[in-house]
Amino acid sequence: MNLYNTLSRKKERFSAPDGEVKMYVCGATPYSAAHLGNAMPSIVFDVLRRYLEFKGYRVRHVQNFTDIDDKMIQAAAERQISTTELAEANAAAYLDEMDALNILRAHKYPRATGDIPKIVEMIDGLVKQGFAYSVNGDVYFRVRRDKDYGKLSHRNLDSLKAGARVEVDENKEDPLDFALWKSQKPGEPAWDSPWGPGRPGWHIECSAMSLAYLGETLDIHGGGRDLIFPHHENEIAQTESFTNKTPFVRFWVHNGTLQMNEDKMSKSLGNIISAREAIQRFSPNAIRLFFLGSHYRSPLAYSEESVASQDRAAERLRNALRPAADKTGETIDATPYRDQFIDAMDDDLNTPRALASLFDLAREINRRRDGGGDVGAAQEVLRELAGILGLTLEEPAARSDDIAPFVRLLVDLRSELREAKQFTLADKVRDDLAGLGVSLEDGPEGTVWRLHSD
Ligand SMILES: [Zn+2]
């Protein structure tokens, strides 16, 4: 397949010679609940992983939690709990929400505070090689020592310097230098290091953990495009300086961000819809279709209507899986649709085009089934392709449980109507329920109900 590489600014042919894809995706800073914008990279890299697995690769997916930084410290202090308690509560909620969106779990979710010795070892190596220096308990990366700094974000040092905020920090040799280790301030959590108690900077944790869990060369490093600079630029500088090997990452893959009222959806701007609220309001398929209906590298504008309308689209796919009453007609050939789908996905994960083929196939199945065509094999293809996009077209198993209290309420109401000899109204309740797929059976023990699809 071809995949756009931010480093070369081109689509390049993707392959992994030994069949294993090492994929590192920058994860969340769990200082508060996840918002829907956080689900975008999760869904994009879930689909990339599913597609690579479909192509026969084994994907090893590692995604970190940044469980210590300024925002974590501040939020934990406000709630009077430890940063660990805060991180673990939000990480558990995040994983639940991603499960609800049918996102495959990463093979490993390292936490920065769980890997402090590895981080310290890497910083120490950078200091020994002259790429970093310590001052008063802090350690900084010496950006000008790195000859190709700026190659990912395509910036040069002079323009960076001109654009840099003039920070009053007499510790740094150069304003471009960035922190690898921050000395402890009063009341902050800290870990021991050769430079005194402190905590790691954000960038170094991803370099250290990707090295620890995936090795010196990654096949794919992913995240939102807002991470290209400085986070990913700094990761390259640290890792390539430490290992003395290039490239650290073969493919840099970045997704566009979710926009709300023309701004990036972000906690700091306060223009968010929480992931939990979205999951309660929309089906997982609708949320996935909303994200996949636009190319992953483009920014995507959130609106309630655009997500809600995807529920009807998901229903059309689901309808195409209804069994045929009569299969005496011709068998439909789903191959051209499958080929188009694969072509689209091979072209830098073009999910809008892949979805168009999927909907074309669904339309063809619905049309031909009504004419008595044998659609069984085509339905299998539909299921297979929908699975690559992480859509679940089977009726959710929990559906009976979800509606149970409401059906019970109507069943009881009907019994009361019958006792009051309001038979016309009682029959209307029964018939209307039947129209919604719920049938009632009156027996000696009272009335039992079931869903037709059960
Ligand atoms: Zn990262």
Side-chain angles (χ1 to χ4, degrees):
M1 76 179 294
N2 288 319
L3 200 54
Y4 184 87
N5 190 347
T6 307
L7 188 65
S8 64
R9 296 205 247 192
K10 281 193 202 103
K11 288 183 199 174
E12 294 175 36
R13 184 149 199 85
F14 181 85
S15 69
D18 56 359
E20 192 180 64
V21 177
K22 299 178 195 78
M23 180 167 90
Y24 186 92
V25 180
C26 286
T29 302
Y31 72 99
S32 67
H35 61 74
L36 191 59
N38 301 134
M40 186 158 173
S42 304
I43 289 177
V44 166
F45 290 96
D46 180 60
V47 170
L48 178 57
R49 170 176 162 188
R50 286 171 186 267
Y51 189 60
L52 290 169
E53 286 175 348
F54 164 79
K55 301 283 265 185
Y57 292 105
R58 292 182 312 283
V59 179
R60 179 143 173 90
H61 173 192
V62 174
Q63 186 169 322
N64 66 305
F65 281 113
T66 299
D67 65 346
I68 186 76
D69 80 340
D70 290 341
K71 285 182 281 194
M72 291 291 308
I73 292 169
Q74 195 193 334
E78 278 164 13
R79 292 176 53 182
Q80 299 187 315
I81 56 175
S82 69
T83 49
T84 309
E85 283 173 281
L86 177 70
E88 292 313 310
N90 283 321
Y94 167 86
L95 291 175
D96 272 355
E97 287 150 10
M98 298 306 121
D99 287 349
L101 294 174
N102 200 28
I103 288 161
L104 297 172
R105 288 213 177 181
H107 299 97
K108 177 94 194 153
Y109 289 99
R111 273 79 162 157
T113 65
D115 280 314
I116 299 288
K118 294 189 183 93
I119 295 170
V120 166
E121 188 190 321
M122 193 167 191
I123 299 173
D124 196 38
L126 288 167
V127 171
K128 287 189 172 129
Q129 295 182 70
F131 288 107
Y133 55 96
S134 66
V135 187
N136 301 329
D138 295 329
V139 182
Y140 295 98
F141 187 88
R142 195 172 264 139
V143 167
R144 289 195 185 271
R145 254 303 296 277
D146 179 28
K147 292 292 163 247
D148 51 8
Y149 189 85
K151 65 182 172 184
L152 179 70
S153 54
H154 305 99
R155 300 170 193 224
N156 66 51
L157 292 185
D158 295 330
S159 71
L160 276 173
K161 181 140 194 181
R165 280 178 294 145
V166 183
E167 285 176 59
V168 185
D169 190 343
E170 68 276 18
N171 281 345
K172 287 190 194 179
E173 292 176 0
D174 186 313
L176 293 175
D177 296 350
F178 58 88
L180 302 176
W181 187 261
K182 300 178 176 185
S183 58
Q184 184 181 24
K185 296 196 193 88
E188 283 187 358
W191 290 262
D192 285 333
S193 81
W195 317 283
R199 60 185 164 96
W202 172 33
H203 317 303
I204 193 71
E205 85 181 67
C206 286
S207 282
M209 296 193 294
S210 61
L211 183 64
Y213 297 104
L214 294 171
E216 292 181 336
T217 307
L218 313 181
D219 297 295
I220 294 173
H221 192 319
R225 34 178 328 109
D226 49 328
L227 297 183
I228 296 174
F229 188 86
H231 186 51
H232 288 164
E233 194 70 67
N234 291 353
E235 278 189 45
I236 297 182
Q238 296 160 156
T239 304
E240 292 186 353
S241 300
F242 179 76
T243 64
N244 204 20
K245 276 201 182 134
T246 309
F248 157 44
V249 172
R250 297 176 52 235
F251 282 79
W252 282 97
V253 181
H254 293 103
N255 62 275
T257 49
L258 185 62
Q259 311 279 311
M260 177 85 118
N261 308 327
E262 304 188 356
D263 284 314
K264 179 192 153 196
M265 188 179 280
S266 78
K267 281 167 210 159
S268 45
L269 292 174
N271 58 348
I272 57 170
I273 164 170
S274 75
R276 183 148 305 257
E277 192 185 341
I279 290 163
Q280 284 165 357
R281 234 192 270 174
F282 313 109
S283 70
N285 282 338
I287 294 172
R288 291 186 76 106
L289 285 169
F290 164 69
F291 282 114
L292 300 175
S294 145
H295 190 261
Y296 76 89
R297 284 197 283 124
S298 311
L300 176 62
Y302 172 80
S303 81
E304 167 138 11
E305 309 81 73
S306 51
V307 188
S309 68
Q310 297 298 335
D311 262 327
R312 293 190 292 281
E315 207 45 46
R316 286 207 296 281
L317 293 177
R318 193 172 277 151
N319 278 337
L321 291 183
R322 284 200 324 259
D326 152 34
K327 296 180 197 162
T328 50
E330 217 184 315
T331 303
I332 355 178
D333 180 12
T335 318
Y337 301 95
R338 191 175 185 276
D339 291 348
Q340 282 164 20
F341 181 97
I342 292 171
D343 251 20
M345 295 293 277
D346 276 347
D347 179 15
D348 192 28
L349 216 64
N350 193 326
T351 53
R353 252 173 60 212
L355 276 173
S357 313
L358 196 67
F359 282 103
D360 287 346
L361 174 60
R363 198 170 306 117
E364 184 69 358
I365 292 172
N366 284 331
R367 191 172 70 78
R368 298 282 285 277
R369 177 187 46 213
D370 299 342
D374 185 351
V375 294
Q379 287 176 325
E380 271 319 301
V381 172
L382 185 76
R383 231 182 236 115
E384 178 196 27
L385 302 181
I388 293 173
L389 301 178
L391 303 170
T392 40
L393 300 186
E394 314 305 330
E395 289 293 328
R399 191 164 163 216
S400 316
D401 299 342
D402 292 345
I403 65 168
F406 305 101
V407 175
R408 200 69 248 167
L409 184 75
L410 287 164
V411 167
D412 291 346
L413 181 67
R414 171 173 166 268
S415 303
E416 283 170 33
L417 288 168
R418 279 157 65 95
E419 273 164 36
K421 307 220 183 300
Q422 301 243 26
F423 295 112
T424 316
L425 265 181
D427 288 350
K428 179 173 163 43
V429 171
R430 184 197 58 209
D431 295 345
D432 288 355
L433 278 172
L436 295 171
V438 178
S439 58
L440 305 186
E441 280 164 38
D442 297 315
E445 312 277 86
T447 304
V448 291
W449 64 271
R450 63 180 190 88
L451 258 181
H452 295 316
S453 56
D454 277 4

